[in-house]
Amino acid sequence: MVGQNNGAPENKCEDQTLPSFPGVYVCDSLRGVERFATVPTNIWFWIAFHVGVFIALAVDLTTFKRRDRELSMRAALQRSFIWIVLSLAFNLLVWKSKGDEAGLDFLTGYIIEYSLSVDNIFVFVLIFNYFRVPPRSQHRVLVWGILGALVMRGVMIWLGVTLVERFHFVLYIFGAFLVLTGLRMLFDRDAEMDFEKNFFMRWCRKILPITKDFQGRRFHVIVDGKLCFTPLLLVLILVDVMDLIFAVDSIPAVFAITTDQFIVYTSNICAILGLRSLYFLLARMIDRFIYLKTGLALILFFVGTKMIVAHRFPIPNWISLLIILVILITTITISLAVTKRRSNGPPTAPPDRE
C-alpha cells in the first residue's frame, strides 16, 4: 500500500511524485527512486482508451471491407498517417493531463515501439510469402493478430510492472537481455527462419484438422459435416506467436524510459495499431531498408545500456529520444540512398567497335 514502509528501504517517492492523472501516484524507479509504488490509473481513462481503440479498429476494418480490393500504397500511406496523427493526439492529451515528463515518456516509448515494429514487418512478409497468403486475407490476419496482441501485451506489461515493483534488480536483467538481443541482431542479420520447424506449427498441425487450401478469408469451414480449419488460421497463430516473441524485446525497451504502467501500455498499443497500415506501406519496398535492422539493433543495445547504467549515470529521456531519432533517420537515409544507386546500376558501356 502506498505510504507504508513495511520494513522496506525508505520510500523516496513522496517528494518525487510526477504530474499525473487524477487519482494516479507515479513513482519511477528509473529516476533514482528506490521503491516502485503506484496506484492504478483512474479506471475511466483505461476504459476511454480501449473504447477509442476498438472504435478506431472497427472503422478501419469497415472501410477496408467496403474497398473490396487490395490496399494500395497511397491508401496505406494515408492510413499510416492517420494512425500516427491519432497517436500524437493522444500523446498531447497525456502531455496536458500528466505533465511534460509523462508526455516525453510516451513519445519516446511510442517511437521505440513503432520503430521496433518494423522488425515485425520483416517477419510478417516472410510468413505471408511462405504460406502464399492472398493480399486481402493478410489484412484480416493482421486485424485479429492485433486484437490478440492487445491481450498478450497487456498481460506482459502487467507482469513486468509487478516484477519491477517487487524486485528492482529485474530492470538490470531486462537491460542485459536487450544488450544481448541487440548484439545478436547486429551480428546475425541474415539468419533464416524455417516456419515448419516452429513448435506451435507442428503442434497445431497435429491437433487441428487443417484443410489443404485457403478458403478465401475464412479461418474455418465445414467439410463433410466436420469443422475444419484453413491454413489462414495457422498463419494467424504464427503471427501472434512471433508478435509475442518480439514483445519480449520491445516491452523491456520501454521500461528503459519509464515504469508507469499506463504509459508503457498505451505507447505499446498505439504503436501496434498502426502496424497493419505500415505493413502494406513497407511490404513492397522492404528490400530497400537494408540497414534498418542494424539501426534497430543499435537502438536495443542503447536502451539496454541505459537501463543498466541508469542508477549511476541516468540519461535524460530527451537525450534518449534524440539518439533514437538520429539512429533511425541515419539508417533509413543510408539504406534508401544505397539501394537507389543499386537499382539505377552502373552505366552500360558502349559496345566495342572493330
Side-chain angles (χ1 to χ4, degrees):
M1 191 172 182
V2 176
Q4 293 183 356
N5 211 334
N6 296 329
E10 180 183 357
N11 189 353
K12 298 181 181 180
C13 299
E14 295 178 357
D15 299 326
Q16 301 187 35
T17 305
L18 301 176
S20 59
F21 287 116
V24 181
Y25 181 78
V26 178
C27 175
D28 201 327
S29 56
L30 291 174
R31 297 189 174 91
V33 181
E34 293 182 358
R35 180 173 178 269
F36 181 91
T38 181
V39 173
T41 307
N42 190 308
I43 189 64
W44 292 111
F45 284 99
W46 288 96
I47 293 176
F49 176 77
H50 286 93
V51 169
V53 165
F54 287 115
I55 289 176
L57 281 174
V59 171
D60 188 43
L61 184 58
T62 302
T63 55
F64 181 82
K65 283 184 176 180
R66 289 176 180 174
R67 292 177 60 88
D68 197 32
R69 63 181 185 273
E70 181 184 351
L71 201 65
S72 65
M73 286 282 289
R74 181 179 178 181
L77 179 61
Q78 292 174 343
R79 287 169 185 253
S80 297
F81 178 75
I82 291 173
W83 283 116
I84 292 174
V85 169
L86 289 174
S87 298
L88 294 180
F90 182 76
N91 184 198
L92 182 61
L93 174 63
V94 173
W95 212 302
K96 294 292 185 180
S97 302
K98 298 193 69 176
D100 296 343
E101 198 75 52
L104 181 62
D105 289 349
F106 178 93
L107 179 61
T108 307
Y110 172 72
I111 292 176
I112 289 176
E113 289 294 334
Y114 200 71
S115 59
L116 291 177
S117 68
V118 176
D119 205 25
N120 295 43
I121 292 177
F122 280 101
V123 177
F124 292 168
V125 170
L126 294 177
I127 294 174
F128 291 147
N129 288 340
Y130 182 87
F131 287 94
R132 298 178 182 177
V133 181
R136 293 191 69 249
S137 299
Q138 295 174 11
H139 188 277
R140 191 172 190 220
V141 170
L142 292 173
V143 168
W144 285 101
I146 285 176
L147 290 176
L150 287 173
V151 177
M152 292 189 299
R153 294 200 177 209
V155 173
M156 291 182 66
I157 291 170
W158 175 77
L159 289 174
V161 171
T162 302
L163 285 173
V164 171
E165 177 182 349
R166 294 179 179 273
F167 310 104
H168 175 74
F169 68 86
V170 169
L171 288 173
Y172 298 105
I173 298 177
F174 286 166
F177 175 76
L178 292 177
V179 168
L180 293 175
T181 302
L183 292 174
R184 178 180 57 81
M185 286 180 61
L186 192 61
F187 296 106
D188 194 23
R189 291 177 296 172
D190 298 325
E192 296 184 357
M193 304 184 72
D194 189 347
F195 299 113
E196 288 298 337
K197 293 182 180 179
N198 184 280
F199 168 77
F200 285 95
M201 287 297 97
R202 290 188 281 112
W203 181 71
C204 288
R205 289 188 183 277
K206 285 182 178 180
I207 67 170
L208 297 177
I210 304 294
T211 62
K212 183 178 179 180
D213 300 316
F214 287 96
Q215 303 292 326
R217 294 186 295 165
R218 303 176 67 180
F219 291 119
H220 60 84
V221 291
I222 303 298
V223 179
D224 297 331
K226 296 181 180 180
L227 176 65
C228 295
F229 300 96
T230 70
L232 197 63
L233 180 66
L234 288 180
V235 175
L236 173 61
I237 294 173
L238 188 56
V239 164
D240 271 332
V241 170
M242 297 308 298
D243 180 79
L244 183 62
I245 293 173
F246 282 115
V248 174
D249 295 338
S250 61
I251 291 176
V254 182
F255 281 131
I257 306 302
T258 179
T259 49
D260 182 342
Q261 184 175 359
F262 185 78
I263 299 298
V264 175
Y265 177 75
T266 53
S267 63
N268 237 276
I269 299 307
C270 285
I272 64 173
L273 282 175
L275 184 60
R276 291 166 302 110
S277 301
L278 188 63
Y279 168 82
F280 288 104
L281 178 62
L282 299 182
R284 298 182 183 91
M285 52 185 298
I286 202 74
D287 292 337
R288 296 201 61 185
F289 297 98
I290 56 176
Y291 296 118
L292 184 57
K293 209 169 186 67
T294 299
L296 300 179
L298 292 175
I299 290 174
L300 287 177
F301 182 85
F302 166 71
V303 296
T305 303
K306 172 183 168 68
M307 295 179 78
I308 294 173
V309 304
H311 185 68
R312 292 184 177 274
F313 305 102
I315 301 175
N317 282 346
W318 69 268
I319 294 180
S320 300
L321 176 60
L322 183 61
I323 292 174
I324 292 168
L325 288 175
V326 168
I327 292 174
L328 284 174
I329 293 172
T330 302
T331 52
I332 291 175
T333 302
I334 295 176
S335 296
L336 295 177
V338 171
T339 53
K340 183 178 181 180
R341 287 201 303 269
R342 290 180 181 176
S343 61
N344 292 335
T348 305
D352 294 333
R353 296 183 179 179
E354 296 183 357

